[in-house]
Amino acid sequence: MENIEIKARLKNLDQTRELVKKLDHEYVGLDHQIDTYFNTNNGRFKLRESSLSGPYLIFYLREDLNGPKSSVYQKL
């Protein structure tokens, strides 16, 4: 699988919540995640513990770049 990671600062949380309420969506809950990273010789490897999805392992390849980043990953 592949994804694009973009991190952005939110200037106005209340305004954003109002915009989201207008979207056609289903609220599934607040996901609390704890990521534990492991040293590897190739790629990146982490254990994600999710309050919504439970624990799972993720192996991924991603360059160290500023700005948007493409990742190729596999859930194990």
Side-chain angles (χ1 to χ4, degrees):
M1 303 180 117
E2 185 173 358
N3 71 347
I4 303 294
E5 176 183 306
I6 300 172
K7 294 189 178 184
R9 292 196 182 271
L10 186 61
K11 292 182 180 180
N12 189 322
L13 181 58
D14 291 332
Q15 180 184 25
T16 303
R17 283 183 171 146
E18 290 304 314
L19 290 170
V20 169
K21 286 179 186 178
K22 296 176 184 178
L23 298 175
D24 183 21
H25 70 285
E26 177 186 347
Y27 180 75
V28 295
L30 181 65
D31 190 14
H32 177 76
Q33 296 176 346
I34 299 172
D35 288 342
T36 303
Y37 296 87
F38 299 93
N39 290 325
T40 64
N41 291 329
N42 183 29
R44 299 165 194 247
F45 191 60
K46 68 182 173 185
L47 167 64
R48 170 158 292 162
E49 297 171 272
S50 164
S51 63
L52 293 178
S53 305
Y56 53 94
L57 296 168
I58 304 172
F59 174 77
Y60 61 108
L61 300 171
R62 185 184 73 216
E63 294 186 63
D64 291 322
L65 300 172
N66 290 326
K69 299 166 189 61
S70 175
S71 295
V72 176
Y73 68 96
Q74 184 176 22
K75 287 185 181 181
L76 308 169

